């Protein structure tokens, strides 16, 4: 997986197409290179065959990528390369009782609220091979009628990546954001 921050003129689909063609020229059959995460405007994660990702890094300037970084992960998550995991996950989910959430929970598959337990089950399976629509989900979560206040948003745990993404997606919502580092709070209690 390759994290990419691009310029406005970056065309991620075209870059992926050319990376797949490059892989075909190397003899790779049915190469995969696709956007797997839509993080925030001008930021994507691209996943697929390693040769495709290396091609994109080497040609970053051509595709208007400002910054690229290989992610230390063990697979091309949220792509068709994860297809072998779909059926086993579906079988496991059939054995689990999933209830309708008591509060709003959004799916990264379509950026919309889960409606009922079967809907959750279906979309969790689909998520394995579908891109994460994080930016679109943020827009759904923070959609408001004009003049309506944004809710307080808390990010709990180490790091503030979700807050940084929220800031890029919706600056007004971000103004109601607070990061809570649970580890720092525990350490403060111990002293």
């Amino acid at each position: 997986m390759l994290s990419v921050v691009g310029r406005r003129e970056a065309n991620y689909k075209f870059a992926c197409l050319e990376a797949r063609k490059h892989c075909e020229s190397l003899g790779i059959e049915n190469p995969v290179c696709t956007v797997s995460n839509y993080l925030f405007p001008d930021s994507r994660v691209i996943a697929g065959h390693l040769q495709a990702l290396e091609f994109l890094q080497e040609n970053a300037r051509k595709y208007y990528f400002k910054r690229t970084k290989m992610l230390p992960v063990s697979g091309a998550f949220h792509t068709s390369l994860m297809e072998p995991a779909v059926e086993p996950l579906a079988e496991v989910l059939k054995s689990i009782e999933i209830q309708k959430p008591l509060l709003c929970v959004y799916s990264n598959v379509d950026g919309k609220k889960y409606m009922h337990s079967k809907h959750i089950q279906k979309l969790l399976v689909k998520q394995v091979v579908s891109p994460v629509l994080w930016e679109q989900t943020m827009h759904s979560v923070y959609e408001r009628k004009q003049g309506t206040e944004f809710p307080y948003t808390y990010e709990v745990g180490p790091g503030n990546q979700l807050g940084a993404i929220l800031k890029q997606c919706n600056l007004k919502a971000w103004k109601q954001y607070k990061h809570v580092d649970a580890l720092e709070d525990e350490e403060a209690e111990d002293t």
Side-chain angles (χ1 to χ4, degrees):
M1 296 181 85
L2 180 70
S3 178
V4 178
V5 176
R7 292 177 173 28
R8 291 201 184 279
E9 55 270 41
N11 184 333
Y12 300 96
K13 287 184 181 181
F14 177 70
C16 289
L17 173 67
E18 290 208 334
R20 287 192 301 272
K21 287 181 181 177
H22 168 74
C23 286
E24 288 172 348
S25 76
L26 298 175
I28 298 171
E29 292 183 27
N30 303 315
V32 174
C33 183
T34 187
V35 174
S36 63
N37 290 261
Y38 293 82
L39 297 175
F40 56 84
D42 304 320
S43 181
R44 308 284 185 266
V45 174
I46 297 173
H49 284 89
L50 181 60
Q51 296 87 336
L53 304 180
E54 289 170 342
F55 172 84
L56 292 177
Q57 276 196 303
E58 292 164 10
N59 293 282
R61 181 172 276 167
K62 174 183 177 181
Y63 300 115
Y64 301 101
F65 296 166
K66 289 191 275 189
R67 198 169 51 237
T68 63
K69 180 183 178 189
M70 284 288 192
L71 300 178
V73 295
S74 60
F77 302 111
H78 309 292
T79 72
S80 60
L81 290 173
M82 295 302 297
E83 191 67 41
V86 169
E87 192 55 39
L89 177 60
E91 288 303 313
V92 168
L93 288 174
K94 286 178 187 174
S95 70
I96 297 172
E97 182 185 348
I98 299 174
Q99 297 180 354
K100 183 178 179 181
L102 298 175
L103 47 93
C104 296
V105 178
Y106 290 79
S107 167
N108 282 327
V109 172
D110 59 10
K112 297 177 181 165
K113 294 176 194 175
Y114 286 120
M115 303 307 288
H116 49 77
S117 59
K118 290 289 183 196
H119 187 229
I120 295 169
Q121 194 174 46
K122 177 183 164 193
L123 290 180
L124 285 176
V125 171
K126 193 172 180 184
Q127 183 68 76
V128 173
V129 293
S130 299
V132 173
L133 303 182
W134 190 253
E135 177 182 351
Q136 297 83 340
T137 302
M138 290 290 91
H139 290 304
S140 293
V141 168
Y142 291 100
E143 186 176 352
R144 298 278 178 275
K145 292 180 184 171
Q146 187 142 4
T148 304
E149 290 286 320
F150 285 99
Y152 290 101
T153 301
Y154 298 93
E155 180 175 358
V156 180
N160 59 356
Q161 290 81 3
L162 299 179
I165 292 171
L166 176 58
K167 185 176 182 180
Q168 294 295 321
C169 291
N170 189 323
L171 187 59
K172 288 181 182 177
W174 177 80
K175 290 178 180 176
Q176 301 285 59
Y177 162 86
K178 179 164 176 41
H179 175 255
V180 179
D181 192 333
L183 294 178
E184 282 181 17
D185 291 346
E186 276 183 25
E187 290 170 6
E189 289 175 12
D190 292 342
T191 55

Short mmCIF file of all heavy atoms in Angstrom, two decimals, residues 1-2 19 22-23 26 28 31-33 46-58 70-71 73 75-76 81:
data_model
loop_
_atom_site.label_atom_id
_atom_site.label_comp_id
_atom_site.label_asym_id
_atom_site.label_seq_id
_atom_site.Cartn_x
_atom_site.Cartn_y
_atom_site.Cartn_z
N MET A 1 0.85 -1.17 0.00
CA MET A 1 0.00 0.00 0.00
C MET A 1 0.90 1.23 0.00
O MET A 1 1.93 1.27 0.66
CB MET A 1 -0.93 -0.02 1.20
CG MET A 1 -1.91 -1.20 1.18
SD MET A 1 -3.05 -1.24 2.57
CE MET A 1 -4.33 -0.17 1.96
N LEU A 2 0.48 2.22 -0.76
CA LEU A 2 1.26 3.44 -0.95
C LEU A 2 0.40 4.64 -0.60
O LEU A 2 -0.66 4.86 -1.20
CB LEU A 2 1.71 3.53 -2.42
CG LEU A 2 2.55 4.73 -2.82
CD1 LEU A 2 3.94 4.65 -2.21
CD2 LEU A 2 2.65 4.82 -4.35
N ALA A 19 0.23 2.12 -14.17
CA ALA A 19 1.00 1.20 -13.33
C ALA A 19 0.62 -0.25 -13.64
O ALA A 19 1.49 -1.13 -13.65
CB ALA A 19 0.77 1.53 -11.85
N HIS A 22 2.31 -1.19 -16.84
CA HIS A 22 3.71 -1.46 -16.55
C HIS A 22 3.88 -2.89 -16.03
O HIS A 22 4.78 -3.62 -16.46
CB HIS A 22 4.26 -0.44 -15.54
CG HIS A 22 5.59 -0.80 -14.98
ND1 HIS A 22 6.76 -0.70 -15.71
CD2 HIS A 22 5.95 -1.30 -13.77
CE1 HIS A 22 7.78 -1.11 -14.98
NE2 HIS A 22 7.31 -1.48 -13.79
N CYS A 23 3.01 -3.28 -15.11
CA CYS A 23 3.08 -4.64 -14.56
C CYS A 23 2.85 -5.69 -15.64
O CYS A 23 3.53 -6.72 -15.66
CB CYS A 23 2.05 -4.80 -13.45
SG CYS A 23 2.51 -3.97 -11.92
N LEU A 26 5.82 -6.44 -17.49
CA LEU A 26 6.75 -7.28 -16.72
C LEU A 26 6.30 -8.74 -16.68
O LEU A 26 6.96 -9.58 -16.08
CB LEU A 26 6.86 -6.76 -15.28
CG LEU A 26 7.41 -5.35 -15.09
CD1 LEU A 26 7.34 -4.95 -13.62
CD2 LEU A 26 8.83 -5.24 -15.63
N ILE A 28 3.25 -9.75 -15.42
CA ILE A 28 2.30 -10.01 -14.33
C ILE A 28 0.90 -10.08 -14.93
O ILE A 28 0.46 -9.15 -15.60
CB ILE A 28 2.38 -8.90 -13.25
CG1 ILE A 28 3.79 -8.88 -12.64
CG2 ILE A 28 1.31 -9.09 -12.18
CD1 ILE A 28 4.05 -7.70 -11.73
N PRO A 31 -2.78 -7.65 -13.19
CA PRO A 31 -2.20 -6.83 -12.11
C PRO A 31 -3.26 -5.95 -11.45
O PRO A 31 -4.24 -5.55 -12.07
CB PRO A 31 -1.16 -5.98 -12.84
CG PRO A 31 -1.65 -5.91 -14.25
CD PRO A 31 -2.33 -7.22 -14.51
N VAL A 32 -3.04 -5.68 -10.18
CA VAL A 32 -3.94 -4.84 -9.40
C VAL A 32 -3.20 -3.58 -8.96
O VAL A 32 -2.07 -3.66 -8.46
CB VAL A 32 -4.49 -5.60 -8.17
CG1 VAL A 32 -5.30 -4.68 -7.27
CG2 VAL A 32 -5.31 -6.80 -8.61
N CYS A 33 -3.82 -2.47 -9.18
CA CYS A 33 -3.34 -1.17 -8.70
C CYS A 33 -4.55 -0.26 -8.70
O CYS A 33 -5.09 0.07 -9.76
CB CYS A 33 -2.23 -0.62 -9.58
SG CYS A 33 -1.56 0.95 -8.97
N ILE A 46 -3.07 3.99 -2.31
CA ILE A 46 -3.17 3.13 -3.49
C ILE A 46 -2.60 1.77 -3.09
O ILE A 46 -1.58 1.70 -2.42
CB ILE A 46 -2.41 3.73 -4.69
CG1 ILE A 46 -3.04 5.06 -5.08
CG2 ILE A 46 -2.37 2.76 -5.86
CD1 ILE A 46 -2.28 5.84 -6.14
N ALA A 47 -3.29 0.71 -3.49
CA ALA A 47 -2.84 -0.63 -3.13
C ALA A 47 -2.83 -1.52 -4.36
O ALA A 47 -3.53 -1.27 -5.34
CB ALA A 47 -3.76 -1.22 -2.06
N GLY A 48 -2.01 -2.56 -4.29
CA GLY A 48 -1.93 -3.50 -5.39
C GLY A 48 -0.59 -4.20 -5.40
O GLY A 48 0.08 -4.31 -4.37
N HIS A 49 -0.21 -4.65 -6.58
CA HIS A 49 1.07 -5.34 -6.73
C HIS A 49 2.22 -4.38 -6.42
O HIS A 49 2.19 -3.20 -6.80
CB HIS A 49 1.21 -5.90 -8.15
CG HIS A 49 0.40 -7.13 -8.37
ND1 HIS A 49 -0.91 -7.09 -8.80
CD2 HIS A 49 0.72 -8.44 -8.19
CE1 HIS A 49 -1.36 -8.33 -8.89
NE2 HIS A 49 -0.40 -9.16 -8.52
N LEU A 50 3.23 -4.89 -5.74
CA LEU A 50 4.37 -4.08 -5.33
C LEU A 50 5.03 -3.39 -6.52
O LEU A 50 5.41 -2.22 -6.43
CB LEU A 50 5.39 -4.97 -4.60
CG LEU A 50 6.65 -4.26 -4.09
CD1 LEU A 50 6.27 -3.16 -3.09
CD2 LEU A 50 7.59 -5.27 -3.44
N GLN A 51 5.14 -4.08 -7.65
CA GLN A 51 5.79 -3.49 -8.82
C GLN A 51 5.01 -2.26 -9.31
O GLN A 51 5.61 -1.30 -9.79
CB GLN A 51 5.91 -4.52 -9.96
CG GLN A 51 6.79 -5.71 -9.63
CD GLN A 51 6.05 -6.85 -8.93
OE1 GLN A 51 5.01 -6.65 -8.30
NE2 GLN A 51 6.59 -8.06 -9.04
N ALA A 52 3.70 -2.29 -9.19
CA ALA A 52 2.87 -1.15 -9.59
C ALA A 52 3.12 0.04 -8.67
O ALA A 52 3.25 1.19 -9.12
CB ALA A 52 1.39 -1.53 -9.57
N LEU A 53 3.20 -0.24 -7.38
CA LEU A 53 3.42 0.84 -6.41
C LEU A 53 4.81 1.44 -6.57
O LEU A 53 4.97 2.67 -6.49
CB LEU A 53 3.21 0.31 -4.99
CG LEU A 53 1.85 -0.34 -4.71
CD1 LEU A 53 1.77 -0.82 -3.27
CD2 LEU A 53 0.71 0.60 -5.04
N GLU A 54 5.80 0.61 -6.82
CA GLU A 54 7.15 1.11 -7.06
C GLU A 54 7.19 1.97 -8.32
O GLU A 54 7.85 3.00 -8.36
CB GLU A 54 8.14 -0.06 -7.16
CG GLU A 54 8.37 -0.74 -5.82
CD GLU A 54 9.16 -2.03 -5.93
OE1 GLU A 54 9.24 -2.62 -7.05
OE2 GLU A 54 9.67 -2.49 -4.88
N PHE A 55 6.45 1.55 -9.35
CA PHE A 55 6.35 2.34 -10.59
C PHE A 55 5.77 3.72 -10.29
O PHE A 55 6.26 4.73 -10.79
CB PHE A 55 5.48 1.59 -11.61
CG PHE A 55 5.15 2.38 -12.84
CD1 PHE A 55 6.05 2.43 -13.90
CD2 PHE A 55 3.96 3.08 -12.95
CE1 PHE A 55 5.76 3.17 -15.05
CE2 PHE A 55 3.66 3.82 -14.09
CZ PHE A 55 4.57 3.86 -15.14
N LEU A 56 4.73 3.77 -9.47
CA LEU A 56 4.12 5.06 -9.13
C LEU A 56 5.08 5.94 -8.35
O LEU A 56 5.15 7.16 -8.60
CB LEU A 56 2.83 4.85 -8.33
CG LEU A 56 1.67 4.22 -9.10
CD1 LEU A 56 0.48 3.99 -8.18
CD2 LEU A 56 1.27 5.08 -10.30
N GLN A 57 5.84 5.35 -7.45
CA GLN A 57 6.83 6.14 -6.70
C GLN A 57 7.89 6.71 -7.64
O GLN A 57 8.25 7.88 -7.52
CB GLN A 57 7.50 5.29 -5.63
CG GLN A 57 6.70 5.23 -4.35
CD GLN A 57 7.54 4.73 -3.18
OE1 GLN A 57 8.09 3.63 -3.25
NE2 GLN A 57 7.59 5.51 -2.12
N GLU A 58 8.38 5.88 -8.54
CA GLU A 58 9.42 6.32 -9.48
C GLU A 58 8.92 7.40 -10.42
O GLU A 58 9.71 8.21 -10.91
CB GLU A 58 9.93 5.12 -10.29
CG GLU A 58 10.70 4.11 -9.47
CD GLU A 58 10.87 2.77 -10.17
OE1 GLU A 58 10.56 2.66 -11.39
OE2 GLU A 58 11.30 1.81 -9.49
N MET A 70 5.52 4.30 1.13
CA MET A 70 5.09 2.91 1.27
C MET A 70 4.65 2.69 2.71
O MET A 70 5.31 3.13 3.64
CB MET A 70 6.22 1.94 0.94
CG MET A 70 6.51 1.81 -0.52
SD MET A 70 5.21 0.89 -1.36
CE MET A 70 6.06 0.63 -2.90
N LEU A 71 3.53 2.01 2.87
CA LEU A 71 3.02 1.73 4.20
C LEU A 71 3.48 0.34 4.64
O LEU A 71 3.46 -0.59 3.84
CB LEU A 71 1.49 1.80 4.20
CG LEU A 71 0.91 3.15 3.80
CD1 LEU A 71 -0.61 3.09 3.79
CD2 LEU A 71 1.39 4.25 4.74
N VAL A 73 2.60 -2.55 5.68
CA VAL A 73 1.48 -3.48 5.86
C VAL A 73 1.78 -4.79 5.14
O VAL A 73 2.66 -4.85 4.29
CB VAL A 73 0.15 -2.87 5.35
CG1 VAL A 73 -0.24 -1.65 6.18
CG2 VAL A 73 0.23 -2.51 3.88
N GLY A 75 -0.40 -6.58 3.20
CA GLY A 75 -1.25 -6.93 2.07
C GLY A 75 -1.82 -5.71 1.37
O GLY A 75 -1.66 -4.58 1.83
N ALA A 76 -2.49 -5.98 0.25
CA ALA A 76 -3.14 -4.93 -0.54
C ALA A 76 -4.61 -4.86 -0.11
O ALA A 76 -5.51 -5.26 -0.83
CB ALA A 76 -3.01 -5.23 -2.02
N LEU A 81 -7.30 -8.19 -4.51
CA LEU A 81 -6.32 -9.17 -4.04
C LEU A 81 -6.74 -9.78 -2.70
O LEU A 81 -6.23 -10.83 -2.31
CB LEU A 81 -4.93 -8.53 -3.91
CG LEU A 81 -4.26 -8.18 -5.23
CD1 LEU A 81 -2.98 -7.40 -5.00
CD2 LEU A 81 -3.99 -9.43 -6.06
#
